[in-house]
Amino acid sequence: MYRYNDFDEAFVRTRVAQFSQQVARRIDGSLTEDEFRPLRLMNGLYLQLHAYMLRVAIPYGTLDSRKMRQLAMIAERWDKGYGHFTTRQNIQFNWPKLQDVPEILSALADVEMHAIQTSGNCVRNVTADHFAGAAADEIEDPRPVAELLRQWSTDHPEFQFLPRKFKIAITGSPNDRAVTKAHDIGLRMVRNEAGEPGFEVIVGGGLGRTPMIGHVVREFLPKADLLPYVEAILSIYNELGRRDNKFKARIKILVHETGRDEIARLVEERFEETRAEFAGTDQALLAEIERAFAPPAFRVAPTDAFDAFYKADPVFRAWADTNLAPHRAEGYAIVTISLKAHGATPGDATAEQMRLIADLAETHGHDEIRISHEQNVILPHVHKSDLPAIHAALSRAGLATANVGLISDIIACPGMDYCALATARSIPVAQEIATRFEDLKLEHEIGPLKLKISGCINACGHHHVGHIGILGLDRAGVENYQITLGGDHTETAAIGEKTGPGFAYDEIVPAIERIVRAYLEVRSEPAETFLETLRRVGHGPFKAALYDAEGTKDAA
Amino acid sequence: MSRPFIPKVVTANALLEGDVVYLTADDRWTRHHHEAELIEDEAHGQLRLIFATAQKGVVVGAYLADARPGANGPEPIHFREVFRTRGPSNYRHGKQEVAAR
């Protein structure tokens, strides 16, 4: 894991000291709210519906036990005993008091964390595949490049006031777990004909009000050219992106209005100008960063204990079948810890749970933890012989729900229960859907299905790329929920299509059940997934199930 | 013909805690919606909003929210304002937590 150098340490401490003074000046009246607001947002502090909210960056979703324990301490000491992991691999604290925030930021700095650039029209937290450095299908660990991008973009003088926020996602695997096609820049590691690793560069993806799948502007970019190329893209966007209309300011609109070919031409032209300025300094820095991400010393040991438990214990077997992923090292597995216990708030972890995860990472996981954009926690490096002990410990803490990738593994934004921008609630809808399908005991029969819920058009819950997406809206003063079908967040990314009129709050869960029952009726065989069935039969059977059913109440 | 004025309350968030607060008729800030001043005249509403907005060291983001008279005082109309009176759905936090003490 990357450790701060003297520069990083001094930079973060200076920002904490600056913000401490700004908070003091706001409280004593020297600063008005209009003056203070941009300063607090530069330090990740929002004012939400019921309280302040502090958004803390978890760069490329990577943590260790020390950091996780500090987050637990912060949750207990200055919040209400829990934190909320987000779809951008951040953690949000929902209840800090204004005067406590400087101390919280200082506590974060103690473990090399901060809240810088978690808001504002700048390059946000660089996100990555949550299986990075561990996945069996990986070409290379993308985190050194993500860290390079983090260092380059932090307080970059040219890119602090972009037309709008800017999000970069990176994956080192051909199987895209980082939603690269729905980011301002998506970087997918690929090999060229000579077998050398490089990046497919995707630009102009994004969800929100105008959802778009990004365009490939470079099919193969050598690794060494990455930073000047990304700088060229940012530079073109900064120059040509629209500042006259907030809703048309993202780079996806620039790409759409200018055209993919012209954008690619402009970027290549700027890249040729920019490239010389880097002169290899970034490569020297990258080499230093890469050393910090050296893989742990994987141990060679028998996996008999795992095999025996797997055969003997059906509960363990169900969890292992659902929550484990193939690891690159012999005898190892990647463990996804579900933060989606049926009826729980997606993405929330208590301080006790955070400490348990820290303990497990330290004892059994080479001290590595990841946060996924799907709001779960990952132990990326676990020897299979340790899995029975891990499962037992997780079970005692309510963290052993065997539902990763199933219908109750729902992404849900905070919605109107917390967010000042939201137009309807997300969390109780997610809770009720998960509970409904748990009661029906259907979710393992349904199989892989991505259900994603957003409480407003900004789409923090990624509903556009959910196999089933739900968007909460305000229709004439009541909560109303639109359904989209057919979204896909992977390398075959697609934006879901709206089914028709929305549903009232008390109708949305039955509506989702009707869709799922229609799928179970029309699928060709149990192995055909929801998405495969939808692509084969089209939307007709699902629309019929939604709108032709007797007693369906159209609330739109 | 102009639309009839919907009664309002002045609401904001407390500067230090972020709590949802309401302006009372005697110029206090209360955590309880039913203690708010129900404003039934548009011009008076604008004056009360100016008064609230000027209290920069006490509250943040003051605005007028639709309300109606109720048995115990003003009641919110829109569901967003209803949520602001009680706190989130998933935990008994915020105002619910205070009320439970």
Side-chain angles (χ1 to χ4, degrees), chain B residues 23-91:
Chain B
L23 185 62
T24 65
D26 58 352
D27 297 345
R28 290 178 298 109
W29 289 99
T30 176
R31 261 66 175 167
H32 306 294
H33 191 283
H34 67 272
E35 292 177 358
E37 175 188 14
L38 186 67
I39 299 163
E40 303 196 67
D41 174 79
E42 189 166 7
H44 182 59
Q46 291 303 318
L47 287 173
R48 297 300 282 159
L49 183 58
I50 290 168
F51 172 81
T53 307
Q55 300 202 5
K56 298 182 192 324
V58 182
V59 298
V60 178
Y63 64 94
L64 293 165
D66 290 352
R68 62 182 160 228
N72 297 313
E75 294 173 352
I77 294 176
H78 192 276
F79 62 90
R80 182 180 192 272
E81 294 304 322
V82 174
F83 299 156
R84 290 179 80 241
T85 67
R86 65 171 192 232
S89 304
N90 56 337
Y91 304 116

Side-chain angles (χ1 to χ4, degrees), chain A residues 26-27 32-33 47-52 80 82 95-99 345 348 416-418 420 423-425 427-428 431 474 477-479, chain B residues 13-20 56-61 77-81 83-91 93-95 97 101:
Chain A
R26 175 68 183 99
I27 291 172
T32 65
E33 186 60 20
L47 183 57
Q48 296 284 39
L49 210 59
H50 311 292
Y52 288 96
K80 293 185 186 290
Y82 73 100
W95 304 95
K97 308 286 186 231
L98 178 59
Q99 67 268 30
T345 303
D348 278 9
M416 200 183 268
D417 282 310
Y418 295 90
T423 47
R425 289 173 296 172
I427 290 169
Q431 289 173 308
D474 175 350
V478 296
E479 290 169 292
Chain B
N13 290 78
L15 170 65
L16 294 181
E17 300 87 2
D19 290 0
V20 176
K56 298 182 192 324
V58 182
V59 298
V60 178
I77 294 176
H78 192 276
F79 62 90
R80 182 180 192 272
E81 294 304 322
F83 299 156
R84 290 179 80 241
T85 67
R86 65 171 192 232
S89 304
N90 56 337
Y91 304 116
H93 285 167
K95 290 176 183 292
E97 193 171 43
R101 280 179 194 156

